[in-house]
């Protein structure tokens, strides 16, 4: 079963974006998780959290300066 | 420049920041700062509060250039690397309260997490209980984060909002240089508005431009590397991520070696500079601080750095710390080298109740 989840973590303080990303990854058995963040700190934290789970996060720079991270489990 | 930016954002960057703090802090002590207080964000905010008359504890009044440097160094880094992002709106009043509580806890222990690690690296074993308390407070904060604690979202704000904190710091720098005096009271004491300690820790400081330069460099590096003395422990436990923690290890080891080299390493419990030996309250004070910093999203240094890159909510936290320092001294809550004040334990207990209540009740269902 392939799931798709989107988490909007824009504007949240550390460590909430990384925590929400991990929660979303844990909640699906397989599929893709998109996380929206608006700081480079949150972006880098999520990339590291995903790497720890053996998942590669691809980053898309959005026109408004925010980032969309996509992680396939 | 982008290559430097990439290195500073990597694991190497956080370690470089820890090493630079570990060298500069003992050097600042050798050059005149108070013992084991090369850098202390809480103590220095308290000194600034005293210098502008928010409290009248005569021994701890000075405008510390290190804090000014932190904000301006972070501003420069944020502007160069396009991370100057004015924002606000994430429960500023709660953050103000957390700043007050964090300061009450820090002034029970006599130091923020930065100074706790620096005290440890110079052989002040009282710091061990302080650091254990800090970790305990962070663990309580993690419990709240796991059950959905949130102060809500911050939103993009006008560019001018981001400049307020840096401009306030430039104002403080002018006050440090000019030190205006509006006459004297009938007893002949300076009437302010600026008060500088004639004796005690507030009178001890390195050459101002050296302190400012050290602050600028650390502010720049910490903005790039996201150095955080509370996030280090939090991420290690909550996310099993040792990235930030490696900076703390680098800080403690480098400061230990630098203290040894400068003859500042003096192991023991008794007679440590600006410290007391009441283990229970060293521990409990830092539980309060650790909890307040975790709920606010980062250590006092990180809050100061964030305020320099336009985070209005972090700026409110810093202002809360400065007001908290005023309260702590005016209400006789702060410890001295002889131990906790008679009223300090009650204040820390009330602070813990307030922070635990905030931890329970501040949940944002839209983001949880």
């Amino acid at each position: 079963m392939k799931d798709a989840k989107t988490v909007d973590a824009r504007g949240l303080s550390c460590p909430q974006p990384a925590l929400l990303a991990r929660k979303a990854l844990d909640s699906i058995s397989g599929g893709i998780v998109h996380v929206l963040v608006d700081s480079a700190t949150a972006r880098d934290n999520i990339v590291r959290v995903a790497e720890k789970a053996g998942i590669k996060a691809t980053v898309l720079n959005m026109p408004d300066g925010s980032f969309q991270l996509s992680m396939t489990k | 420049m982008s290559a430097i930016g990439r290195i500073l954002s990597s694991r190497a960057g956080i370690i470089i920041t820890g090493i630079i703090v570990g060298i500069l802090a003992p050097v600042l002590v050798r050059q005149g700062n108070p013992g084991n207080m090369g850098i202390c964000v809480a103590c220095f905010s308290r000194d600034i509060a005293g210098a502008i008359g928010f409290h009248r504890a005569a021994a701890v009044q000075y405008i510390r250039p290190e804090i000014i440097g932190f904000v301006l160094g972070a501003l420069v880094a944020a502007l160069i690397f396009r991370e100057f992002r004015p924002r606000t709106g994430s429960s500023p009043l709660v953050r103000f309260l957390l700043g007050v509580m964090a300061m009450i806890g820090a002034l029970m222990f006599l130091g923020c997490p930065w100074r706790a690690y620096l005290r440890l690296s110079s052989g002040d074993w009282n710091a061990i209980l302080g650091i254990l308390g800090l970790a305990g407070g962070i663990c309580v904060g993690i419990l709240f984060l796991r059950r959905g604690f949130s102060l809500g979202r911050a939103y993009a704000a006008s560019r001018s909002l981001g400049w307020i904190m840096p401009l306030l710091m430039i104002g403080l720098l002018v006050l440090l240089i000019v030190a205006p005096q509006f006459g004297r009271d009938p007893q002949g004491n300076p009437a302010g508005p600026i008060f500088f300690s004639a004796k005690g820790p507030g009178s001890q400081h390195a050459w101002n431009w050296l302190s400012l330069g050290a602050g600028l460099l650390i502010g720049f590096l910490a903005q790039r590397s996201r150095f955080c003395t509370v996030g280090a422990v939090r991420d290690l436990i909550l996310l099993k991520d040792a990235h930030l923690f490696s900076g703390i290890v680098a800080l403690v080891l480098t400061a230990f070696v630098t203290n040894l080299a400068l003859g500042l390493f003096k192991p023991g419990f008794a007679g440590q500079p600006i410290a007391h030996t009441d283990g229970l309250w060293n521990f409990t004070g830092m539980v309060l601080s650790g909890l307040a910093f975790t709920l606010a999203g980062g250590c006092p240094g990180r809050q100061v750095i964030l305020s320099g890159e336009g985070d209005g909510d972090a700026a409110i936290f810093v202002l809360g710390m400065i007001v908290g320092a005023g309260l702590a001294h005016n209400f006789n809550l702060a410890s001295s080298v002889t131990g906790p004040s008679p009223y300090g334990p009650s204040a820390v207990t009330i602070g813990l109740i307030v922070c635990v209540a905030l931890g329970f009740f501040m949940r944002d269902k839209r983001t949880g």
Side-chain angles (χ1 to χ4, degrees):
Chain A
M1 173 75 185
K2 295 282 179 198
D3 287 321
K5 278 206 161 187
T6 300
V7 177
D8 183 358
R10 287 175 297 179
L12 296 176
S13 299
C14 282
Q16 289 174 70
L19 205 54
L20 292 174
R22 197 179 66 177
K23 212 163 126 186
L25 283 170
D26 288 347
S27 71
I28 59 168
S29 52
I32 189 160
V33 171
H34 301 289
V35 185
L36 288 169
V37 296
D38 57 1
S39 80
T41 308
R43 177 198 64 197
D44 297 345
N45 288 347
I46 293 172
V47 168
R48 275 202 310 281
V49 164
E51 273 173 5
K52 285 229 172 310
I55 296 167
K56 187 173 164 45
T58 53
V59 181
L60 184 65
N61 295 331
M62 308 297 274
D64 64 353
S66 62
F67 309 95
Q68 180 182 287
L69 293 102
S70 302
M71 292 161 279
T72 307
K73 187 175 177 184
Chain B
M1 190 54 96
S2 66
I4 296 172
R6 266 199 304 279
I7 291 169
L8 291 177
S9 304
S10 69
R11 174 69 68 99
I14 199 88
I15 292 172
I16 290 169
T17 308
I19 289 172
I20 296 291
V21 175
I23 294 171
L24 286 179
V27 166
L28 286 169
V29 171
R30 176 50 82 203
Q31 293 299 315
N33 272 16
N36 296 347
M37 209 189 279
I39 302 281
C40 176
V41 181
C43 314
F44 289 179
S45 302
R46 182 269 315 276
D47 291 351
I48 290 172
I52 55 178
F54 285 10
H55 68 71
R56 299 296 172 90
V60 283
Q61 297 174 314
Y62 195 65
I63 295 176
R64 295 283 180 183
E66 291 88 346
I67 300 293
I68 298 170
F70 271 27
V71 174
L72 299 181
L75 171 74
V76 170
L79 288 173
I80 290 175
F81 294 99
R82 300 178 180 278
E83 288 187 357
F84 182 67
R85 219 165 38 81
R87 55 201 187 271
T88 190
S90 170
S91 306
L93 181 59
V94 176
R95 289 177 188 272
F96 181 85
L97 259 183
L98 290 172
V100 172
M101 299 303 156
M103 186 57 106
I104 288 172
L107 290 179
M108 168 59 84
F109 168 69
L110 295 176
C112 70
W114 290 54
R115 184 165 190 249
Y117 298 126
L118 290 170
R119 281 173 58 174
L120 177 70
S121 71
S122 76
D124 177 352
W125 303 144
N126 301 295
I128 296 170
L129 278 170
I131 291 168
L132 288 175
L134 177 71
I138 293 169
C139 286
V140 177
I142 287 172
L143 292 178
F144 290 125
L145 284 165
R146 279 196 173 135
R147 63 187 297 278
F149 170 84
S150 177
L151 293 178
R153 294 184 199 280
Y155 296 91
S158 159
R159 217 166 157 76
S160 51
L161 178 132
W163 282 95
I164 292 176
M165 199 65 175
L167 288 173
L168 279 177
M169 291 298 126
I170 289 170
L172 277 180
L173 187 60
V174 171
L175 289 174
L176 170 67
I177 296 164
V178 178
Q181 285 299 321
F182 299 165
R184 292 182 174 267
D185 68 15
Q187 286 77 41
N189 301 311
I194 298 304
F195 302 88
F196 288 158
S197 299
K199 54 186 176 184
S203 69
Q204 300 167 359
H205 53 85
W207 185 50
N208 282 333
W209 298 108
L210 175 68
S211 298
L212 182 65
L216 283 167
L217 178 60
I218 295 171
F220 185 94
L221 293 172
Q223 195 282 333
R224 291 311 304 148
S225 65
R226 334 298 187 196
F227 187 81
C228 180
T229 59
V230 165
V233 179
R234 178 200 66 207
D235 288 358
L236 191 67
I237 298 169
L238 182 64
L239 303 170
K240 312 283 180 273
D241 179 7
H243 177 78
L244 292 175
F245 194 75
S246 56
I248 302 304
V249 173
L251 183 159
V252 172
L253 291 178
T254 313
F256 168 65
V257 172
T258 315
N259 277 318
L260 271 181
L262 296 177
L264 296 169
F265 182 77
K266 295 189 173 64
F269 283 95
Q272 294 289 347
I274 314 159
H276 62 77
T277 56
D278 189 321
L280 171 66
W281 290 102
N282 276 332
F283 178 87
T284 315
M286 285 309 260
V287 171
L288 172 57
S289 271
L291 175 56
F293 290 131
T294 306
L295 296 182
C299 78
R302 181 78 186 136
Q303 304 285 347
V304 172
I305 300 297
L306 286 170
S307 77
E309 59 172 67
D311 186 337
D313 297 321
I316 290 286
F317 182 93
V318 174
L319 297 179
M321 286 204 303
I322 291 173
V323 170
L327 282 174
H329 282 284
N330 289 342
F331 289 16
N332 193 15
L333 312 176
S335 299
S336 68
V337 291
T338 58
S341 89
Y343 313 104
S346 311
V348 168
T349 307
I350 292 168
L352 281 169
I353 293 168
V354 170
C355 286
V356 167
L358 290 171
F360 266 111
F361 295 119
M362 293 301 297
R363 300 179 70 177
D364 189 340
K365 291 191 174 60
R366 288 166 302 171
T367 58

